[in-house]
Every structure is written in C-alpha cells, then in structure tokens.
Amino acid sequence: MRFLITGGLGFIGSNMIHYLLKKYPDISICNLDKMTYAGNPANLSDIENDPRYSFVKGDIADAAIVEKTFAEFQPDVVIHFAAETHVDRSIADPDVFIRSNTIGTHELLKAAKAHNVTRFHHVSTDEVYGHIALDSDERWTEESPYGPRSPYSASKAASDHFVRAYYHTYGLPITISNCANNIGPYMYPEKLLPLAITNILEGKKVPMYPPGNQVREWLYVEDHCSAIDSIVSKGIPGETYFVGPDNPQLSNLEVIKKLLAIMERGEDMIEFVKDRPGHDQKYALDHSKITRELGWHPRYSLDESLERMVDWYTKNEAWWKPLKSGEYLEYYTQQYLTRE
Ligand code: DAU
C-alpha cells in the first residue's frame, strides 16, 4: 500500500508516520510537507533513512508540486494532515489559513481525482461545529450543523465541504475524521498543554485565558492515529467519523491543576492573561459511531496521557528548547506580552 501523507513533519502527521511504519512492514510512505514553523524534521529523524519513507518539500496549495508528487509517487491512499492549526495565529493572520487549509485541500482533491486514489482521508477538527454553552450537556454528532467561529475553524469547515463535494459530485472515495484536541509527543509548544509543560520546565508561568472555565476534550495522539488507521482500512467512503476520548469533561483550569500536580508545582504557576477574541466555550463530541461501526476505542485516560506527555517533554528538552527561540519568541511576545 502506498500512502501519501501531507503535513507529515507536523505533530499529528509525524505521529501517524511512526504509527504506520511500526504497524505495517510492507508499506511505502511519501511525506509532502511545506516545512512551516510547525513542520520539524527532528520529528522524523529516527526514520528518515527507512527505505519505506520518502520526503517531498512542497506547498499543497501549489498545483504543480502537488501534481508532480501524485504523478511520481502514485499513491493508493492519501491521509491529509497538512494545515495551519493554531487558532490564535488565525486571528492575527487569517490569509495563510485560507491558502493552506482550503485552497491546499482543494488542490489535493483535484490531484486525488485525476490519479484515481482508492481513499482520500481528510483529517479535520471538532471546532468546525462551533461551540457549546458551558451549562449545556449537548454533544455533537456527525449530523450536527456546522458553525465555525474562528478563521481557523472556518477554513477547516470550508475544506470539509469541498471534500464532501468531491464525493457527491465526482465519486471520489473520501472519508473525514473530526477529532478533539490532541496531546502527546512532538506537539509544537504554542498550544495550551505543550506550552504549559515547557514553561513549567523552564520555571515560567502558564498563561491562562480567563476565567479558565472553558472545556476541551483531550485525546492522546496515538489514539487519534489508531482511529485514522481504522477509518482508512474499514470506514465507508463518503462517511464522517468523530474521534474523541472517554474522559470526564474538565475545564482548562482543572486540566492545568492536574498537570501541576503531576509536575509537583503549585497553582501560583498559573497566570491569567488577555483572553482570545471569540473564544469557543466548550467542545464535546459523541464518538459512538466509530466505536459502534468500526470497533475503535481510545486506549489512554487523561491522567495517563498527561503523565506520558510530561515524561516525554522532560526527557526531550533537546527537541523543544530550540523551538522556543527566534520566530517563536516574536509570536510569544506579541500574543502574551504586548497584545492590545
Ligand atoms: O479541538 C481541536 C482543536 O484543538 C484543533 O483543531 C486545533 O488545531 C487545536 O489548536 C486545538 O484548538 P484549541 O483552541 O482548543 O487549542 P489551544 O491549545 O490553543 O487551546 C486550548 C484551550 O486553552 C482553549 O480554551 C484556549 C486555552 N488557552 C490556550 C492557550 C494557547 C489558554 O488558556 N492559554 C493559552 O496560552
């Protein structure tokens, strides 16, 4: 089986490549990645010489490089991770999100159709459904209406619609997964948990958007990879599957307090900063469809996920330390220290 993975140098994409190479001895993987600030060759340094793996540097919104990659590699399956993903960056600069997430997805769809792939799997997010009031027990299902509220989620929602359109209009065998917040190794330290862990390891405070009562569902990235593997091998073309954890719902503040307990630090490490505009209050998925139809279950509890993550970041300072300099420091200063 020949897999084209887009965005394979990013957090979830690189975890997926590790997962596939470990599980399937006879596959070929081509990784098409633009190498943005979040695409880190160090994520795959352990497998870069594996004969089953090849790399193409390129932008998915560049039709010529996309066509060349499909023509030369001839993938059976595409698993599409490449995306700009950080909500705060999308608020500061939406254009690149539209280019990569929406136009880029469309370029891939055109090539996948032209080259008759057997599956185009699109990796999407729960955020396309909008947000849920904190006092509501609602959980979204795959039938819930879309209602994105940030430039990031709007660009992902648009991409989901194009992916479905290619199924209905051209019969492209697509599947979509909409997943909860992922955590785990190789996660760029701009999102809440890797930012919190690396800040604490550096003796710095955790920036918390007030009042910290917002709710997210946290899934260990390996569980996301196993879900995508199930969907690609057993999912029905044209279908969407939700992927999420079985953990109790906790606020951001409760999650950070758990983390501080694991890292043996006090709550004085939390610092409230200026809130994110349009901050989504709660995401909650009903993932019973993938469990019922494909037999997938998440394996890791939140406590275990946090412990594994702290352990990995503690042992891999050489991976994250260099990331927290240069462009990152400019972003950090703008986002947390000087934003009006
Ligand atoms: O739900 C899936 C989505 O999860 C993915 O599609 C996105 O790519 C991913 O970025 C993530 O979006 P969130 O906005 O939920 O993740 P983030 O880590 O940025 O924020 C999680 C929560 O923590 C959110 O309520 C905002 C809050 N937060 C975040 C940061 C970065 C803080 O309180 N302080 C922070 O410094």
Side-chain angles (χ1 to χ4, degrees):
M1 187 76 81
R2 301 177 68 75
F3 288 90
L4 175 64
I5 308 280
T6 69
L9 291 182
F11 161 46
I12 308 175
S14 60
N15 275 281
M16 188 81 214
I17 291 176
H18 281 121
Y19 181 96
L20 290 170
L21 289 175
K22 202 165 159 197
K23 181 161 178 192
Y24 298 108
D26 295 326
I27 57 171
S28 282
I29 292 179
C30 175
N31 173 14
L32 172 61
D33 193 293
K34 188 179 170 187
M35 298 183 81
T36 66
Y37 76 94
N40 185 352
N43 296 7
L44 292 178
S45 54
D46 55 333
I47 59 91
E48 67 191 3
N49 296 321
D50 189 311
R52 297 170 296 168
Y53 172 77
S54 59
F55 176 69
V56 175
K57 180 175 183 215
D59 181 351
I60 54 168
D62 176 344
I65 189 81
V66 168
E67 171 52 31
K68 187 167 183 282
T69 306
F70 274 77
E72 285 176 2
F73 183 68
Q74 293 292 336
D76 303 304
V77 172
V78 179
I79 308 181
H80 173 34
F81 294 94
E84 295 289 338
T85 67
H86 192 41
V87 174
D88 294 319
R89 288 185 191 253
S90 84
I91 295 167
D93 183 11
D95 297 64
V96 66
F97 284 73
I98 300 166
R99 178 179 165 86
S100 291
N101 300 0
T102 312
I103 298 173
T105 299
H106 187 239
E107 292 303 338
L108 290 170
L109 287 166
K110 285 194 286 186
K113 171 175 168 275
H115 291 272
N116 297 314
V117 301
T118 57
R119 179 65 63 86
F120 184 96
H121 182 73
H122 179 56
V123 179
S124 191
T125 167
D126 54 7
E127 298 199 29
V128 297
Y129 292 90
H131 73 159
I132 297 169
L134 289 174
D135 60 2
S136 164
D137 291 331
E138 181 188 356
R139 280 186 176 275
W140 293 313
T141 72
E142 287 85 351
E143 312 308 322
S144 296
Y146 274 48
R149 302 175 71 252
S150 73
Y152 161 66
S153 51
S155 67
K156 287 298 284 186
S159 68
D160 290 12
H161 292 314
F162 274 105
V163 173
R164 287 212 185 94
Y166 267 65
Y167 171 74
H168 292 294
T169 310
Y170 305 113
L172 186 72
I174 65 95
T175 39
I176 299 177
S177 50
N178 295 86
C179 191
N181 289 55
N182 280 221
I183 50 176
Y186 304 111
M187 188 171 187
Y188 190 81
E190 65 187 345
K191 301 197 181 175
L192 179 63
L193 278 163
L195 174 61
I197 294 170
T198 55
N199 271 16
I200 295 165
L201 289 171
E202 290 179 309
K204 294 186 190 144
K205 296 202 176 196
V206 177
M208 170 73 58
Y209 298 156
N213 61 353
Q214 301 85 4
V215 173
R216 299 291 186 267
E217 298 186 299
W218 304 98
L219 183 78
Y220 198 62
V221 63
E222 192 183 313
D223 280 330
H224 190 185
C225 296
S226 68
I228 292 172
D229 183 32
S230 299
I231 297 168
V232 168
S233 49
K234 294 184 275 182
I236 312 281
E239 291 292 311
T240 292
Y241 299 89
F242 280 2
V243 182
D246 284 334
N247 300 317
Q249 290 186 340
L250 294 180
S251 69
N252 291 340
L253 213 44
E254 288 168 316
V255 173
I256 293 302
K257 285 181 184 172
K258 258 182 187 296
L259 181 71
L260 287 166
I262 292 170
M263 298 181 78
E264 299 178 343
R265 301 302 300 265
E267 290 172 22
D268 58 320
M269 292 300 282
I270 298 171
E271 179 180 48
F272 285 99
V273 297
K274 195 171 168 25
D275 198 5
R276 168 186 288 175
H279 193 162
D280 288 343
Q281 298 299 294
K282 176 159 93 164
Y283 307 140
L285 294 178
D286 172 353
H287 69 75
S288 55
K289 175 177 171 182
I290 187 172
T291 299
R292 191 175 57 246
E293 296 186 8
L294 306 184
W296 175 85
H297 292 273
R299 186 174 147 199
Y300 296 99
S301 68
L302 178 60
D303 286 344
E304 204 178 346
S305 307
L306 291 175
E307 276 159 22
R308 290 172 79 95
M309 197 168 166
V310 168
D311 185 54
W312 192 86
Y313 279 81
T314 305
K315 289 182 178 142
N316 288 280
E317 196 175 300
W319 178 87
W320 58 263
K321 258 271 158 68
L323 300 178
K324 294 187 98 173
S325 61
E327 190 275 344
Y328 180 90
L329 280 185
E330 272 170 44
Y331 163 76
Y332 196 90
T333 306
Q334 157 63 21
Q335 180 62 23
Y336 295 104
L337 307 176
T338 60
R339 184 159 56 101
E340 306 206 329

